[in-house]
């Protein structure tokens, strides 16, 4: 059953034949691989020859004797991810699969070598349940004693190698989202009672209430006042593999929210999410600097202004560097914010550096750095100090 299903849609029969051959090889004829398999915990591989005889009736059986094994890696095949089921059956995985909690997850990915990525919690918390083995033609990932917490994305990256130098082929990665439906836990457990999340102006925000079962019905709720939040799919949408996304946060989205999942008789609440609204700029500031004069006479007052036009209520911080700094010349600054007319909610933030009674040491470059939550940018201007104008003599 699985052999033909797996590759039947691939079109070119040559490719199919090669791939089928490779699978057959993995199943029965590659002794090294089969032996390695035996060390995998929790599985009892059975001799699979009788079953194979049946499955290959449809296929070109002679292919088995084709000696050109080396031809296989030359085919630029997309990596294929298969799940090893009980009794040595294989199944090509789609977008997502469900594995009963407690059962063993076993995935195989064609390629030599391949690299895997697993849910973060598994990566960090290695308790010996995860095993990754590279066989001759495929990588195998085995996860035993599974729980709902293992729910997440499992990715296989084929590696492209030149000698010993290997890199991941990101565009050929194959991913599968694995649910581990837990009869007691509808949500993937979190160690935090609540989670603070910044809502940034117009930046999509994720409430990662991840369910362990794709069948769970999930709704979004506000704590005060206690209401269900409308999920229209545009402003807020739900994805069973990620959670809720608020696409363009506005101040009214802030507050304490949580998810509720129901399945059968079970109804559970997720961790609480404290959503804090932050006026967030779209880009780093673009300051403009201007000196009252590029050439000042000793004794005259100098003003250097630095201004940024940006979104309303976005804080911009200014810092200055100036020639008299090293010798501790005490300059001072004046900061101000003023709205800009014209409908769009924008404002001008300005910092003015004041130099009273300019001296020779004040000659040089004045640099203003403007900083917001997206980054910083500096601008400079040069000021020349010229001798005092001679007082007029009668
Ligand atoms: C899996 O669970 C069994 C039974 O509780 C235990 O004996 C075994 O050590 C566990 N295996 C791992 C790798 O944690």
């Amino acid at each position: 059953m699985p052999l033909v299903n797996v590759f039947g849609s691939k079109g070119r029969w040559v490719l199919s034949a090669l791939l089928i051959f490779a699978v057959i090889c993995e199943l029965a004829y590659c002794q090294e691989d089969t032996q390695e398999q035996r060390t995998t915990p929790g599985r009892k591989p059975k001799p699979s020859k009788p079953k194979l005889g049946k499955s290959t009736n449809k296929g070109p059986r002679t292919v088995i004797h084709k000696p050109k094994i080396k031809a296989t890696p030359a085919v630029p095949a997309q990596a294929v991810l298969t799940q090893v089921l009980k009794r040595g059956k294989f199944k090509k995985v789609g977008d997502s699969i469900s594995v009963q909690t407690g059962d063993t997850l076993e995935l195989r990915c064609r390629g030599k070598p391949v690299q895997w990525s697993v849910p973060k919690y598994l990566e960090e918390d290695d308790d010996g349940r995860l095993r990754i083995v590279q066989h001759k033609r495929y990588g195998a990932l085995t996860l035993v004693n599974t729980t709902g917490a293992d729910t997440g994305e499992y990715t296989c990256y084929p590696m492209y190698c030149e000698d010993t130098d290997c890199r991941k082929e990101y565009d050929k990665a194959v991913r599968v989202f694995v649910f581990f439906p837990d009869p007691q836990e509808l949500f993937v457990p979190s160690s935090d009672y609540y989670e603070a999340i910044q809502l940034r102006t117009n930046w999509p925000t994720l409430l990662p209430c991840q369910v362990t079962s794709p069948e769970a019905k999930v709704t979004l709720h506000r704590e005060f006042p206690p209401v269900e939040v409308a999920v229209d799919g545009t402003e807020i949408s739900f994805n069973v593999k990620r959670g809720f996304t608020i696409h363009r946060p506005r101040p009214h989205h802030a507050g304490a929210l949580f998810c509720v999942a129901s399945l059968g008789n079970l109804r559970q609440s997720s961790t609480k999410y404290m959503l804090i609204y932050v006026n967030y700029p779209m880009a780093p500031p673009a300051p403009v600097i201007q000196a009252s004069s590029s050439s000042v006479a000793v004794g005259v007052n100098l003003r250097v202004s630095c201004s940024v036009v940006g979104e309303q209520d976005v804080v911009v911080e200014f810092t200055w560097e100036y020639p008299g700094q090293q010798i501790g010349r005490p300059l001072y600054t004046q900061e101000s914010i003023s709205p800009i007319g014209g409908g769009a909610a924008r404002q001008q933030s300005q910092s003015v550096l004041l130099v009273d009674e300019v001296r020779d040491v004040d000659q040089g470059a004045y640099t203003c750095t403007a900083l917001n939550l997206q980054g910083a940018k500096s601008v400079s201007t040069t000021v020349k100090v010229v001798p005092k104008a001679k007082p007029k003599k009668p």
Side-chain angles (χ1 to χ4, degrees), residues 193-345:
Y193 176 65
Y194 75 88
E195 199 176 310
I197 294 181
Q198 264 192 14
L199 282 173
R200 299 170 169 189
T201 321
N202 293 335
W203 285 62
T205 302
L206 178 70
L207 277 64
C209 48
Q210 178 63 58
V211 281
T212 61
S213 166
E215 264 95 59
K217 187 181 173 293
V218 191
T219 49
L220 184 60
H221 300 257
R222 182 172 290 279
E223 197 168 36
F224 299 113
V227 287
E228 182 175 335
V229 178
V231 175
D232 62 358
T234 311
E235 193 182 349
I236 304 181
S237 64
F238 178 72
N239 177 336
V240 76
K241 297 182 204 164
R242 285 165 55 77
F244 289 97
T245 303
I246 301 175
H247 292 274
R248 295 170 73 82
R250 303 302 310 160
H252 74 265
H253 291 120
L257 271 71
F258 59 94
C259 312
V260 170
S262 22
L263 184 62
N265 299 325
L266 213 52
R267 189 179 152 89
Q268 291 177 341
S269 296
S270 73
T271 294
K272 238 175 254 171
Y273 299 102
M274 310 299 292
L275 304 184
I276 300 149
Y277 188 80
V278 181
N279 283 301
Y280 204 81
M282 293 297 284
V288 175
I289 195 167
Q290 195 175 22
S292 52
S293 171
S294 60
S295 169
V296 239
V298 170
V300 171
N301 294 349
L302 170 71
R303 287 165 52 95
V304 187
S305 74
C306 182
S307 47
V308 169
V309 172
E311 294 99 337
Q312 209 159 50
D313 299 324
V314 166
V315 177
V316 179
E317 276 174 38
F318 294 96
T319 50
W320 287 94
E321 280 169 63
Y322 49 90
Q325 211 160 15
Q326 282 94 334
I327 60 156
R329 188 99 158 87
L331 310 187
Y332 54 100
T333 57
Q334 282 177 346
E335 300 201 349
S336 61
I337 294 172
S338 48
I340 291 177

Side-chain angles (χ1 to χ4, degrees), residues 128-129 144-145:
R129 296 184 301 117
V144 301
N145 297 353

